[in-house]
């Protein structure tokens, strides 16, 4: 599963914009969000549902833009 996080210059933390099964779908959503607002930054993370000892989801950054 891929998670798309979107952050603006004025936000304190990135917002979850969506979860996708395919990386191409996540990339398309990120590009669409940037087309609507060119000032945003995005981050796509891949996760397989595993959590660490603190119960936090383990995710790997796939792409930033």
């Amino acid at each position: 599963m891929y998670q798309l996080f979107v952050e603006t210059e004025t936000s304190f933390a990135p917002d979850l914009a969506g979860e996708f099964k395919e990386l191409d779908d996540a990339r398309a959503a990120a590009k669409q969000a940037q087309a609507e607002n060119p000032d945003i930054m995005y981050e796509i993370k891949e996760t397989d549902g595993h959590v660490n000892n603190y119960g936090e989801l383990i995710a790997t950054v796939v792409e930033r833009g």
Side-chain angles (χ1 to χ4, degrees):
M1 177 184 300
Y2 298 93
Q3 297 177 324
L4 172 62
F5 290 90
V6 176
E7 184 175 13
T8 62
E9 291 180 4
T10 59
S11 64
F12 292 108
D15 296 324
L16 179 63
E19 294 181 331
F20 305 90
K21 290 184 179 181
E22 300 293 327
L23 179 58
D24 292 334
D25 295 338
R27 284 181 177 148
K31 297 300 178 187
Q32 181 182 5
Q34 274 194 325
E36 293 172 4
N37 184 358
D39 295 332
I40 68 164
M41 297 176 60
Y42 70 90
E43 189 172 75
I44 299 173
K45 295 182 179 181
E46 181 180 18
T47 182
D48 58 2
H50 288 90
V51 295
N52 64 13
N53 293 340
Y54 301 106
E56 299 167 338
L57 192 63
I58 298 172
T60 304
V61 175
V62 177
E63 184 175 320
R64 289 186 178 136

Short mmCIF file of all heavy atoms in Angstrom, two decimals:
data_model
loop_
_atom_site.label_atom_id
_atom_site.label_comp_id
_atom_site.label_asym_id
_atom_site.label_seq_id
_atom_site.Cartn_x
_atom_site.Cartn_y
_atom_site.Cartn_z
N MET A 1 0.84 -1.17 0.00
CA MET A 1 0.00 0.00 0.00
C MET A 1 0.89 1.24 0.00
O MET A 1 1.96 1.25 0.61
CB MET A 1 -0.89 0.00 1.24
CG MET A 1 -1.74 1.23 1.31
SD MET A 1 -2.74 1.41 2.79
CE MET A 1 -3.73 -0.05 2.70
N TYR A 2 0.43 2.24 -0.68
CA TYR A 2 1.17 3.50 -0.78
C TYR A 2 0.34 4.61 -0.17
O TYR A 2 -0.87 4.68 -0.38
CB TYR A 2 1.49 3.81 -2.24
CG TYR A 2 2.37 2.77 -2.87
CD1 TYR A 2 1.83 1.70 -3.57
CD2 TYR A 2 3.75 2.84 -2.74
CE1 TYR A 2 2.64 0.73 -4.11
CE2 TYR A 2 4.57 1.87 -3.28
CZ TYR A 2 4.00 0.83 -3.98
OH TYR A 2 4.81 -0.15 -4.51
N GLN A 3 0.98 5.46 0.58
CA GLN A 3 0.32 6.59 1.20
C GLN A 3 0.90 7.87 0.62
O GLN A 3 2.12 8.00 0.48
CB GLN A 3 0.54 6.59 2.71
CG GLN A 3 -0.05 5.41 3.40
CD GLN A 3 0.26 5.40 4.88
OE1 GLN A 3 1.33 5.80 5.31
NE2 GLN A 3 -0.71 4.93 5.66
N LEU A 4 0.02 8.81 0.28
CA LEU A 4 0.43 10.10 -0.25
C LEU A 4 0.22 11.16 0.82
O LEU A 4 -0.89 11.32 1.33
CB LEU A 4 -0.39 10.45 -1.50
CG LEU A 4 -0.21 11.84 -2.07
CD1 LEU A 4 1.23 12.06 -2.54
CD2 LEU A 4 -1.19 12.09 -3.19
N PHE A 5 1.30 11.85 1.16
CA PHE A 5 1.24 12.95 2.12
C PHE A 5 1.53 14.24 1.38
O PHE A 5 2.46 14.31 0.57
CB PHE A 5 2.28 12.75 3.23
CG PHE A 5 1.96 11.61 4.15
CD1 PHE A 5 2.42 10.34 3.88
CD2 PHE A 5 1.20 11.82 5.28
CE1 PHE A 5 2.12 9.29 4.73
CE2 PHE A 5 0.90 10.78 6.14
CZ PHE A 5 1.36 9.51 5.86
N VAL A 6 0.76 15.27 1.67
CA VAL A 6 0.89 16.57 1.01
C VAL A 6 1.16 17.61 2.09
O VAL A 6 0.50 17.63 3.13
CB VAL A 6 -0.39 16.91 0.22
CG1 VAL A 6 -0.30 18.29 -0.38
CG2 VAL A 6 -0.64 15.87 -0.86
N GLU A 7 2.12 18.49 1.82
CA GLU A 7 2.48 19.53 2.79
C GLU A 7 2.59 20.87 2.08
O GLU A 7 3.18 20.98 1.02
CB GLU A 7 3.82 19.17 3.44
CG GLU A 7 4.25 20.13 4.52
CD GLU A 7 5.51 19.67 5.22
OE1 GLU A 7 6.18 18.75 4.73
OE2 GLU A 7 5.83 20.25 6.26
N THR A 8 2.02 21.89 2.72
CA THR A 8 2.15 23.26 2.22
C THR A 8 3.19 23.98 3.05
O THR A 8 3.61 23.47 4.09
CB THR A 8 0.81 24.01 2.28
OG1 THR A 8 0.41 24.09 3.64
CG2 THR A 8 -0.26 23.33 1.46
N GLU A 9 3.59 25.14 2.61
CA GLU A 9 4.60 25.90 3.35
C GLU A 9 4.11 26.33 4.72
O GLU A 9 4.89 26.49 5.64
CB GLU A 9 5.00 27.13 2.54
CG GLU A 9 5.77 26.80 1.28
CD GLU A 9 6.14 28.05 0.50
OE1 GLU A 9 5.88 29.16 0.98
OE2 GLU A 9 6.71 27.89 -0.59
N THR A 10 2.81 26.50 4.88
CA THR A 10 2.27 26.99 6.14
C THR A 10 1.82 25.89 7.09
O THR A 10 1.46 26.17 8.21
CB THR A 10 1.07 27.91 5.87
OG1 THR A 10 0.07 27.17 5.16
CG2 THR A 10 1.48 29.13 5.07
N SER A 11 1.88 24.63 6.65
CA SER A 11 1.42 23.55 7.53
C SER A 11 2.53 23.09 8.46
O SER A 11 3.71 23.19 8.15
CB SER A 11 0.90 22.37 6.70
OG SER A 11 1.93 21.82 5.93
N PHE A 12 2.13 22.57 9.60
CA PHE A 12 3.09 22.09 10.59
C PHE A 12 3.54 20.67 10.29
O PHE A 12 4.65 20.27 10.60
CB PHE A 12 2.49 22.14 12.00
CG PHE A 12 2.27 23.54 12.47
CD1 PHE A 12 0.99 24.05 12.58
CD2 PHE A 12 3.34 24.35 12.81
CE1 PHE A 12 0.78 25.35 13.01
CE2 PHE A 12 3.14 25.65 13.25
CZ PHE A 12 1.85 26.15 13.35
N ALA A 13 2.65 19.87 9.73
CA ALA A 13 2.95 18.48 9.40
C ALA A 13 2.22 18.11 8.12
O ALA A 13 1.18 18.70 7.79
CB ALA A 13 2.49 17.58 10.54
N PRO A 14 2.74 17.15 7.39
CA PRO A 14 2.07 16.75 6.14
C PRO A 14 0.72 16.10 6.42
O PRO A 14 0.54 15.42 7.43
CB PRO A 14 3.05 15.76 5.50
CG PRO A 14 4.08 15.46 6.51
CD PRO A 14 3.99 16.45 7.60
N ASP A 15 -0.22 16.31 5.52
CA ASP A 15 -1.56 15.73 5.62
C ASP A 15 -1.64 14.50 4.73
O ASP A 15 -1.12 14.51 3.60
CB ASP A 15 -2.63 16.73 5.17
CG ASP A 15 -2.68 17.95 6.07
OD1 ASP A 15 -2.49 17.80 7.28
OD2 ASP A 15 -2.92 19.06 5.53
N LEU A 16 -2.30 13.47 5.21
CA LEU A 16 -2.53 12.27 4.41
C LEU A 16 -3.56 12.60 3.35
O LEU A 16 -4.70 12.93 3.66
CB LEU A 16 -3.00 11.12 5.29
CG LEU A 16 -3.29 9.80 4.59
CD1 LEU A 16 -2.02 9.24 3.94
CD2 LEU A 16 -3.88 8.81 5.56
N ALA A 17 -3.16 12.53 2.08
CA ALA A 17 -4.05 12.87 0.98
C ALA A 17 -4.76 11.63 0.43
O ALA A 17 -5.77 11.76 -0.25
CB ALA A 17 -3.29 13.58 -0.13
N GLY A 18 -4.21 10.45 0.70
CA GLY A 18 -4.86 9.24 0.21
C GLY A 18 -3.99 8.02 0.36
O GLY A 18 -2.77 8.12 0.55
N GLU A 19 -4.63 6.86 0.26
CA GLU A 19 -3.94 5.58 0.27
C GLU A 19 -4.26 4.86 -1.02
O GLU A 19 -5.42 4.83 -1.44
CB GLU A 19 -4.37 4.74 1.48
CG GLU A 19 -3.96 5.35 2.79
CD GLU A 19 -4.35 4.50 3.99
OE1 GLU A 19 -5.36 3.78 3.91
OE2 GLU A 19 -3.63 4.57 4.99
N PHE A 20 -3.26 4.27 -1.64
CA PHE A 20 -3.42 3.66 -2.95
C PHE A 20 -2.77 2.28 -2.97
O PHE A 20 -1.77 2.05 -2.30
CB PHE A 20 -2.75 4.55 -4.02
CG PHE A 20 -3.26 5.96 -4.01
CD1 PHE A 20 -2.64 6.92 -3.23
CD2 PHE A 20 -4.36 6.32 -4.76
CE1 PHE A 20 -3.11 8.23 -3.21
CE2 PHE A 20 -4.83 7.62 -4.74
CZ PHE A 20 -4.21 8.58 -3.97
N LYS A 21 -3.32 1.40 -3.78
CA LYS A 21 -2.73 0.08 -3.94
C LYS A 21 -1.59 0.08 -4.94
O LYS A 21 -0.68 -0.72 -4.86
CB LYS A 21 -3.80 -0.92 -4.38
CG LYS A 21 -4.81 -1.23 -3.31
CD LYS A 21 -5.78 -2.29 -3.75
CE LYS A 21 -6.76 -2.57 -2.63
NZ LYS A 21 -7.71 -3.61 -3.02
N GLU A 22 -1.65 0.98 -5.92
CA GLU A 22 -0.65 1.04 -6.98
C GLU A 22 0.16 2.34 -6.87
O GLU A 22 -0.39 3.40 -6.60
CB GLU A 22 -1.31 0.98 -8.35
CG GLU A 22 -2.12 -0.28 -8.60
CD GLU A 22 -1.24 -1.52 -8.67
OE1 GLU A 22 -0.08 -1.41 -9.13
OE2 GLU A 22 -1.71 -2.58 -8.25
N LEU A 23 1.46 2.23 -7.10
CA LEU A 23 2.34 3.40 -7.05
C LEU A 23 1.97 4.41 -8.12
O LEU A 23 2.02 5.62 -7.88
CB LEU A 23 3.80 2.96 -7.20
CG LEU A 23 4.85 4.05 -7.18
CD1 LEU A 23 4.78 4.85 -5.89
CD2 LEU A 23 6.23 3.45 -7.36
N ASP A 24 1.58 3.94 -9.29
CA ASP A 24 1.21 4.87 -10.37
C ASP A 24 0.01 5.72 -10.00
O ASP A 24 -0.07 6.89 -10.37
CB ASP A 24 0.93 4.09 -11.66
CG ASP A 24 2.19 3.44 -12.23
OD1 ASP A 24 3.29 3.96 -11.96
OD2 ASP A 24 2.06 2.43 -12.94
N ASP A 25 -0.93 5.14 -9.27
CA ASP A 25 -2.11 5.91 -8.83
C ASP A 25 -1.70 6.98 -7.83
O ASP A 25 -2.21 8.11 -7.87
CB ASP A 25 -3.15 4.98 -8.21
CG ASP A 25 -3.73 3.99 -9.21
OD1 ASP A 25 -3.67 4.26 -10.43
OD2 ASP A 25 -4.24 2.95 -8.77
N ALA A 26 -0.78 6.65 -6.94
CA ALA A 26 -0.29 7.63 -5.96
C ALA A 26 0.46 8.76 -6.66
O ALA A 26 0.29 9.93 -6.30
CB ALA A 26 0.61 6.95 -4.94
N ARG A 27 1.27 8.40 -7.64
CA ARG A 27 2.00 9.43 -8.40
C ARG A 27 1.04 10.34 -9.16
O ARG A 27 1.24 11.55 -9.21
CB ARG A 27 2.97 8.78 -9.39
CG ARG A 27 4.19 8.25 -8.74
CD ARG A 27 5.13 7.65 -9.75
NE ARG A 27 6.35 7.20 -9.12
CZ ARG A 27 7.06 6.18 -9.52
NH1 ARG A 27 6.69 5.49 -10.57
NH2 ARG A 27 8.16 5.84 -8.88
N ALA A 28 0.01 9.78 -9.77
CA ALA A 28 -0.97 10.58 -10.51
C ALA A 28 -1.69 11.54 -9.57
O ALA A 28 -1.90 12.71 -9.92
CB ALA A 28 -1.97 9.66 -11.20
N ALA A 29 -2.05 11.08 -8.39
CA ALA A 29 -2.72 11.96 -7.42
C ALA A 29 -1.77 13.06 -6.95
O ALA A 29 -2.19 14.21 -6.77
CB ALA A 29 -3.21 11.15 -6.23
N ALA A 30 -0.48 12.74 -6.78
CA ALA A 30 0.50 13.75 -6.37
C ALA A 30 0.68 14.81 -7.45
O ALA A 30 0.73 16.00 -7.16
CB ALA A 30 1.83 13.09 -6.06
N LYS A 31 0.76 14.37 -8.69
CA LYS A 31 0.91 15.32 -9.80
C LYS A 31 -0.32 16.19 -9.94
O LYS A 31 -0.22 17.38 -10.24
CB LYS A 31 1.19 14.58 -11.11
CG LYS A 31 2.48 13.80 -11.10
CD LYS A 31 3.68 14.67 -10.88
CE LYS A 31 4.95 13.83 -10.84
NZ LYS A 31 6.12 14.58 -10.46
N GLN A 32 -1.51 15.62 -9.72
CA GLN A 32 -2.74 16.40 -9.79
C GLN A 32 -2.78 17.44 -8.69
O GLN A 32 -3.17 18.58 -8.90
CB GLN A 32 -3.95 15.49 -9.71
CG GLN A 32 -5.26 16.24 -9.79
CD GLN A 32 -6.45 15.32 -9.66
OE1 GLN A 32 -6.31 14.13 -9.42
NE2 GLN A 32 -7.64 15.88 -9.83
N ALA A 33 -2.35 17.06 -7.48
CA ALA A 33 -2.32 18.00 -6.36
C ALA A 33 -1.35 19.14 -6.65
O ALA A 33 -1.63 20.30 -6.33
CB ALA A 33 -1.95 17.29 -5.08
N GLN A 34 -0.20 18.82 -7.26
CA GLN A 34 0.77 19.87 -7.60
C GLN A 34 0.26 20.76 -8.72
O GLN A 34 0.58 21.94 -8.76
CB GLN A 34 2.11 19.27 -7.99
CG GLN A 34 2.99 19.01 -6.80
CD GLN A 34 4.42 18.72 -7.20
OE1 GLN A 34 4.69 18.11 -8.23
NE2 GLN A 34 5.35 19.14 -6.38
N ALA A 35 -0.52 20.20 -9.62
CA ALA A 35 -1.09 21.01 -10.70
C ALA A 35 -2.09 22.02 -10.14
O ALA A 35 -2.18 23.15 -10.62
CB ALA A 35 -1.76 20.12 -11.73
N GLU A 36 -2.84 21.60 -9.11
CA GLU A 36 -3.81 22.50 -8.49
C GLU A 36 -3.14 23.57 -7.65
O GLU A 36 -3.60 24.69 -7.57
CB GLU A 36 -4.79 21.70 -7.63
CG GLU A 36 -5.68 20.79 -8.42
CD GLU A 36 -6.51 19.87 -7.56
OE1 GLU A 36 -6.44 19.99 -6.31
OE2 GLU A 36 -7.22 19.03 -8.12
N ASN A 37 -2.04 23.20 -6.98
CA ASN A 37 -1.32 24.13 -6.12
C ASN A 37 0.18 23.87 -6.26
O ASN A 37 0.70 22.96 -5.62
CB ASN A 37 -1.76 23.98 -4.66
CG ASN A 37 -1.12 24.99 -3.75
OD1 ASN A 37 -0.30 25.81 -4.18
ND2 ASN A 37 -1.48 24.96 -2.49
N PRO A 38 0.90 24.63 -7.07
CA PRO A 38 2.31 24.36 -7.32
C PRO A 38 3.22 24.57 -6.11
O PRO A 38 4.38 24.17 -6.13
CB PRO A 38 2.69 25.31 -8.45
CG PRO A 38 1.54 26.19 -8.69
CD PRO A 38 0.39 25.73 -7.87
N ASP A 39 2.73 25.15 -5.04
CA ASP A 39 3.55 25.42 -3.86
C ASP A 39 3.64 24.24 -2.89
O ASP A 39 4.37 24.31 -1.91
CB ASP A 39 3.01 26.64 -3.10
CG ASP A 39 3.14 27.91 -3.93
OD1 ASP A 39 4.04 27.98 -4.77
OD2 ASP A 39 2.31 28.81 -3.73
N ILE A 40 2.88 23.18 -3.15
CA ILE A 40 2.90 22.05 -2.22
C ILE A 40 4.08 21.12 -2.49
O ILE A 40 4.64 21.10 -3.57
CB ILE A 40 1.59 21.24 -2.26
CG1 ILE A 40 1.45 20.52 -3.60
CG2 ILE A 40 0.40 22.08 -1.96
CD1 ILE A 40 0.42 19.43 -3.59
N MET A 41 4.41 20.37 -1.46
CA MET A 41 5.41 19.31 -1.58
C MET A 41 4.70 18.01 -1.23
O MET A 41 3.78 18.01 -0.41
CB MET A 41 6.57 19.56 -0.63
CG MET A 41 7.33 20.84 -0.95
SD MET A 41 8.63 21.18 0.24
CE MET A 41 9.66 19.76 0.07
N TYR A 42 5.11 16.92 -1.84
CA TYR A 42 4.46 15.65 -1.56
C TYR A 42 5.50 14.59 -1.22
O TYR A 42 6.68 14.71 -1.52
CB TYR A 42 3.60 15.19 -2.73
CG TYR A 42 4.39 14.75 -3.95
CD1 TYR A 42 4.79 13.42 -4.09
CD2 TYR A 42 4.71 15.63 -4.96
CE1 TYR A 42 5.51 13.01 -5.19
CE2 TYR A 42 5.42 15.23 -6.05
CZ TYR A 42 5.81 13.91 -6.18
OH TYR A 42 6.54 13.52 -7.27
N GLU A 43 5.02 13.55 -0.57
CA GLU A 43 5.86 12.42 -0.19
C GLU A 43 5.01 11.16 -0.31
O GLU A 43 3.90 11.11 0.22
CB GLU A 43 6.34 12.60 1.24
CG GLU A 43 7.38 11.63 1.68
CD GLU A 43 7.92 12.00 3.05
OE1 GLU A 43 7.21 11.78 4.05
OE2 GLU A 43 9.06 12.50 3.11
N ILE A 44 5.53 10.17 -1.02
CA ILE A 44 4.84 8.90 -1.16
C ILE A 44 5.60 7.87 -0.33
O ILE A 44 6.81 7.72 -0.49
CB ILE A 44 4.77 8.45 -2.64
CG1 ILE A 44 4.00 9.48 -3.47
CG2 ILE A 44 4.11 7.07 -2.73
CD1 ILE A 44 4.03 9.21 -4.96
N LYS A 45 4.86 7.19 0.55
CA LYS A 45 5.47 6.19 1.42
C LYS A 45 4.84 4.83 1.13
O LYS A 45 3.64 4.73 0.88
CB LYS A 45 5.24 6.52 2.89
CG LYS A 45 5.94 7.79 3.33
CD LYS A 45 5.72 8.02 4.80
CE LYS A 45 6.44 9.26 5.27
NZ LYS A 45 6.25 9.49 6.71
N GLU A 46 5.67 3.79 1.20
CA GLU A 46 5.19 2.43 1.02
C GLU A 46 5.14 1.74 2.38
O GLU A 46 6.08 1.85 3.17
CB GLU A 46 6.12 1.65 0.09
CG GLU A 46 5.67 0.23 -0.16
CD GLU A 46 6.61 -0.51 -1.09
OE1 GLU A 46 7.75 -0.08 -1.27
OE2 GLU A 46 6.17 -1.54 -1.60
N THR A 47 4.06 1.03 2.64
CA THR A 47 3.92 0.30 3.89
C THR A 47 3.29 -1.06 3.62
O THR A 47 2.54 -1.21 2.67
CB THR A 47 3.08 1.08 4.92
OG1 THR A 47 3.04 0.34 6.11
CG2 THR A 47 1.69 1.37 4.42
N ASP A 48 3.64 -2.02 4.46
CA ASP A 48 3.04 -3.35 4.31
C ASP A 48 2.20 -3.73 5.52
O ASP A 48 1.81 -4.87 5.69
CB ASP A 48 4.12 -4.40 4.06
CG ASP A 48 5.16 -4.46 5.16
OD1 ASP A 48 5.04 -3.72 6.13
OD2 ASP A 48 6.11 -5.25 5.02
N GLY A 49 1.93 -2.77 6.39
CA GLY A 49 1.07 -2.99 7.53
C GLY A 49 1.79 -3.37 8.81
O GLY A 49 1.16 -3.50 9.85
N HIS A 50 3.10 -3.54 8.78
CA HIS A 50 3.84 -3.88 9.99
C HIS A 50 4.02 -2.63 10.87
O HIS A 50 4.13 -1.53 10.37
CB HIS A 50 5.22 -4.46 9.65
CG HIS A 50 5.14 -5.82 9.07
ND1 HIS A 50 5.02 -6.05 7.71
CD2 HIS A 50 5.15 -7.04 9.65
CE1 HIS A 50 4.97 -7.34 7.49
NE2 HIS A 50 5.04 -7.98 8.65
N VAL A 51 4.07 -2.87 12.17
CA VAL A 51 4.27 -1.78 13.12
C VAL A 51 5.50 -2.06 13.98
O VAL A 51 5.93 -3.20 14.11
CB VAL A 51 3.04 -1.59 14.05
CG1 VAL A 51 1.83 -1.14 13.26
CG2 VAL A 51 2.72 -2.87 14.81
N ASN A 52 6.06 -1.00 14.55
CA ASN A 52 7.22 -1.16 15.44
C ASN A 52 6.76 -1.42 16.87
O ASN A 52 5.58 -1.59 17.13
CB ASN A 52 8.15 0.06 15.34
CG ASN A 52 7.51 1.34 15.81
OD1 ASN A 52 6.46 1.34 16.44
ND2 ASN A 52 8.14 2.46 15.50
N ASN A 53 7.70 -1.43 17.80
CA ASN A 53 7.38 -1.72 19.20
C ASN A 53 6.45 -0.69 19.84
O ASN A 53 5.81 -0.98 20.85
CB ASN A 53 8.67 -1.78 20.04
CG ASN A 53 9.52 -2.95 19.65
OD1 ASN A 53 9.04 -3.91 19.05
ND2 ASN A 53 10.78 -2.90 20.00
N TYR A 54 6.38 0.50 19.26
CA TYR A 54 5.53 1.57 19.79
C TYR A 54 4.16 1.61 19.13
O TYR A 54 3.35 2.48 19.42
CB TYR A 54 6.22 2.92 19.62
CG TYR A 54 7.56 2.98 20.31
CD1 TYR A 54 8.74 2.93 19.58
CD2 TYR A 54 7.64 3.05 21.70
CE1 TYR A 54 9.98 2.96 20.22
CE2 TYR A 54 8.86 3.08 22.34
CZ TYR A 54 10.03 3.04 21.59
OH TYR A 54 11.24 3.06 22.23
N GLY A 55 3.91 0.70 18.22
CA GLY A 55 2.63 0.66 17.52
C GLY A 55 2.54 1.61 16.34
O GLY A 55 1.47 1.80 15.79
N GLU A 56 3.67 2.18 15.94
CA GLU A 56 3.70 3.11 14.81
C GLU A 56 3.92 2.32 13.52
O GLU A 56 4.72 1.39 13.47
CB GLU A 56 4.82 4.13 14.98
CG GLU A 56 4.65 4.97 16.22
CD GLU A 56 5.91 5.75 16.56
OE1 GLU A 56 7.00 5.35 16.11
OE2 GLU A 56 5.80 6.75 17.28
N LEU A 57 3.22 2.69 12.49
CA LEU A 57 3.32 2.03 11.20
C LEU A 57 4.70 2.23 10.61
O LEU A 57 5.22 3.35 10.57
CB LEU A 57 2.26 2.60 10.25
CG LEU A 57 2.01 1.87 8.96
CD1 LEU A 57 1.50 0.46 9.23
CD2 LEU A 57 1.01 2.63 8.12
N ILE A 58 5.32 1.15 10.14
CA ILE A 58 6.63 1.24 9.50
C ILE A 58 6.41 1.55 8.03
O ILE A 58 5.71 0.83 7.33
CB ILE A 58 7.39 -0.08 9.66
CG1 ILE A 58 7.64 -0.37 11.14
CG2 ILE A 58 8.72 -0.03 8.90
CD1 ILE A 58 8.23 -1.74 11.42
N ALA A 59 7.01 2.63 7.56
CA ALA A 59 6.83 3.06 6.17
C ALA A 59 8.19 3.46 5.59
O ALA A 59 9.06 3.96 6.31
CB ALA A 59 5.86 4.23 6.09
N THR A 60 8.33 3.24 4.28
CA THR A 60 9.54 3.61 3.57
C THR A 60 9.19 4.67 2.54
O THR A 60 8.23 4.51 1.77
CB THR A 60 10.12 2.37 2.83
OG1 THR A 60 10.32 1.34 3.78
CG2 THR A 60 11.43 2.71 2.15
N VAL A 61 9.97 5.75 2.50
CA VAL A 61 9.72 6.82 1.53
C VAL A 61 10.14 6.32 0.15
O VAL A 61 11.25 5.86 -0.05
CB VAL A 61 10.50 8.10 1.89
CG1 VAL A 61 10.32 9.14 0.81
CG2 VAL A 61 10.04 8.63 3.23
N VAL A 62 9.22 6.42 -0.79
CA VAL A 62 9.44 5.98 -2.16
C VAL A 62 9.82 7.16 -3.04
O VAL A 62 10.70 7.05 -3.88
CB VAL A 62 8.20 5.27 -2.72
CG1 VAL A 62 8.39 4.88 -4.17
CG2 VAL A 62 7.85 4.06 -1.89
N GLU A 63 9.13 8.27 -2.84
CA GLU A 63 9.34 9.43 -3.72
C GLU A 63 8.98 10.71 -2.99
O GLU A 63 8.04 10.74 -2.21
CB GLU A 63 8.44 9.26 -4.96
CG GLU A 63 8.62 10.31 -6.00
CD GLU A 63 7.78 10.00 -7.23
OE1 GLU A 63 7.69 8.83 -7.63
OE2 GLU A 63 7.20 10.94 -7.77
N ARG A 64 9.73 11.75 -3.29
CA ARG A 64 9.43 13.10 -2.79
C ARG A 64 9.42 14.06 -3.96
O ARG A 64 10.17 13.92 -4.91
CB ARG A 64 10.50 13.55 -1.80
CG ARG A 64 10.46 12.84 -0.49
CD ARG A 64 11.46 13.44 0.49
NE ARG A 64 11.34 12.75 1.77
CZ ARG A 64 12.36 12.36 2.49
NH1 ARG A 64 13.58 12.59 2.08
NH2 ARG A 64 12.16 11.72 3.61
N GLY A 65 8.61 15.06 -3.82
CA GLY A 65 8.56 16.04 -4.90
C GLY A 65 8.03 17.35 -4.46
O GLY A 65 7.59 17.56 -3.40
#
